[in-house]
Amino acid sequence: MKISKIFNNNCVATLTDDVEYIITGKGIGFQKKIGDIIDENNIEKKFSIIDDNLSDFESLLSKVSVDYFESTRAIVEYAFHKFDMKLNDAINITLTDHISYAIQRAKEGIEMPGIFNDDLAMFYPTEYSVAQWSLAFLNAKYDVDLPNDEIGYIAIHVVNSREGNQSHMAQNMIYFLKEVINIISKDLEVEIDQSSMEYKRLTTHLKYLAHRVFGGVSDLDNASDGEMNQILSAKLSKYTDTVVKIASFIDQRFDYAISLDERMYLSIHIYQIMQSINRNK
């Protein structure tokens, strides 16, 4: 590997198969020039930056230590090896920037307002687990005591990176999930067991629905017939009002009309949850 760009003594770039990779390591760029061979024994982290974000990376690198990028890469690698979670390149910038300010705030005794940690833990347990590990990792590495609220902020970066880095995706998703779950709980006067498999299936389905809603993807009806219609008419009719309220919320808040088939699927999930509740009484 040859150096194609030098950022500082500890960070250089190399071009491999038309992809520019960022290479970090202590002294890896010291007294080097473009075209020099990179000593692979000195490489600590290697990652790519998509072209659209390269200028942002260079700008941020001029303001913060490369060490913060390496911390981000450690978190990304933990997520991948522990949960097989792939995070997009944009997190190299967004999370690094957040970490640098979080460490600075901690050292200056500045606290950020709390965030919806409980909701994140409920709807994004895997991403939240990554954030929990990250907090302990950062506290140990930088000898600081970051508040637990930082778990929520880190979790949002992880969620957004998984969802294509769409602005406010995590916040919108949590709002969507909370409101639908609240409608079900209040309308049927039940407390849903959040550890149940039925609940997890429902939230998984709602996440896919939310993607269609947020993306404005057409939710066309498919011709449901046969056994499905029999199940719908025999067992699910009692949940029609609840589903209508969910559909009304989605229509009013997001200007999106869910299909008849989608209403049926929601009814099935609600039916399964109610069956689970009744079994455990």
Side-chain angles (χ1 to χ4, degrees), residues 66-229:
V66 69
D67 189 61
Y68 293 127
F69 285 98
E70 293 176 350
S71 294
T72 293
R73 294 311 304 169
I75 292 169
V76 170
E77 290 168 11
Y78 171 81
F80 177 74
H81 292 297
K82 181 69 175 179
F83 300 106
D84 196 26
M85 183 187 299
K86 296 179 181 179
L87 304 177
N88 67 34
D89 288 337
I91 198 171
N92 293 317
I93 296 170
T94 59
L95 184 55
T96 298
D97 185 48
H98 177 81
I99 289 173
S100 68
Y101 278 111
I103 301 303
Q104 180 181 333
R105 289 195 306 269
K107 291 181 176 179
E108 295 176 358
I110 301 172
E111 291 189 12
M112 291 285 284
I115 201 167
F116 31 79
N117 279 20
D118 291 342
D119 296 327
L120 281 162
M122 181 191 313
F123 296 121
Y124 292 94
T126 307
E127 292 86 346
Y128 193 80
S129 180
V130 171
Q132 286 179 305
W133 179 88
S134 302
L135 185 77
F137 166 74
L138 294 171
N139 281 339
K141 181 172 182 177
Y142 296 104
D143 191 25
V144 293
D145 187 19
L146 296 173
N148 284 335
D149 285 334
E150 281 297 332
I151 297 174
Y153 289 108
I154 296 172
I156 285 178
H157 283 285
V158 175
V159 171
N160 284 343
S161 182
R162 294 195 77 182
E163 307 291 358
N165 199 37
Q166 298 178 47
S167 178
H168 305 302
M169 173 61 79
Q171 296 94 319
N172 287 337
M173 184 72 76
I174 286 173
Y175 171 72
F176 182 91
L177 294 172
K178 278 187 69 176
E179 288 302 308
V180 174
I181 297 298
N182 284 339
I183 290 171
I184 295 171
S185 297
K186 291 179 180 179
D187 201 50
L188 298 175
E189 298 181 344
V190 294
E191 184 174 344
I192 303 175
D193 180 7
Q194 297 170 5
S195 65
S196 69
M197 184 59 66
E198 291 79 10
Y199 173 81
K200 292 176 182 177
R201 289 172 187 153
L202 171 62
T203 55
T204 297
H205 179 82
L206 289 176
K207 287 176 186 177
Y208 286 119
L209 173 58
H211 277 292
R212 298 200 302 276
V213 172
F214 299 157
V217 178
S218 179
D219 191 19
L220 298 176
D221 283 320
N222 295 314
S224 298
D225 52 22
E227 185 179 354
M228 277 297 187
N229 270 340

Side-chain angles (χ1 to χ4, degrees), residues 12-113:
V12 299
T14 184
L15 197 63
T16 304
D17 296 328
D18 295 326
V19 177
E20 190 163 38
Y21 289 92
I22 307 302
I23 309 294
T24 66
K26 188 173 183 180
I28 202 165
F30 181 65
Q31 293 185 339
K32 298 292 185 181
K33 60 182 183 295
I34 293 175
D36 283 351
I37 300 297
I38 297 173
D39 185 348
E40 296 191 15
N41 292 323
N42 292 334
I43 295 176
E44 295 180 6
K45 301 293 179 186
K46 175 183 176 181
F47 53 95
S48 63
I49 298 289
I50 55 179
D51 290 342
D52 290 345
N53 292 322
L54 190 57
S55 61
D56 291 334
F57 171 80
E58 294 180 7
S59 175
L60 186 58
L61 190 61
S62 68
K63 302 173 185 175
V64 305
S65 168
V66 69
D67 189 61
Y68 293 127
F69 285 98
E70 293 176 350
S71 294
T72 293
R73 294 311 304 169
I75 292 169
V76 170
E77 290 168 11
Y78 171 81
F80 177 74
H81 292 297
K82 181 69 175 179
F83 300 106
D84 196 26
M85 183 187 299
K86 296 179 181 179
L87 304 177
N88 67 34
D89 288 337
I91 198 171
N92 293 317
I93 296 170
T94 59
L95 184 55
T96 298
D97 185 48
H98 177 81
I99 289 173
S100 68
Y101 278 111
I103 301 303
Q104 180 181 333
R105 289 195 306 269
K107 291 181 176 179
E108 295 176 358
I110 301 172
E111 291 189 12
M112 291 285 284

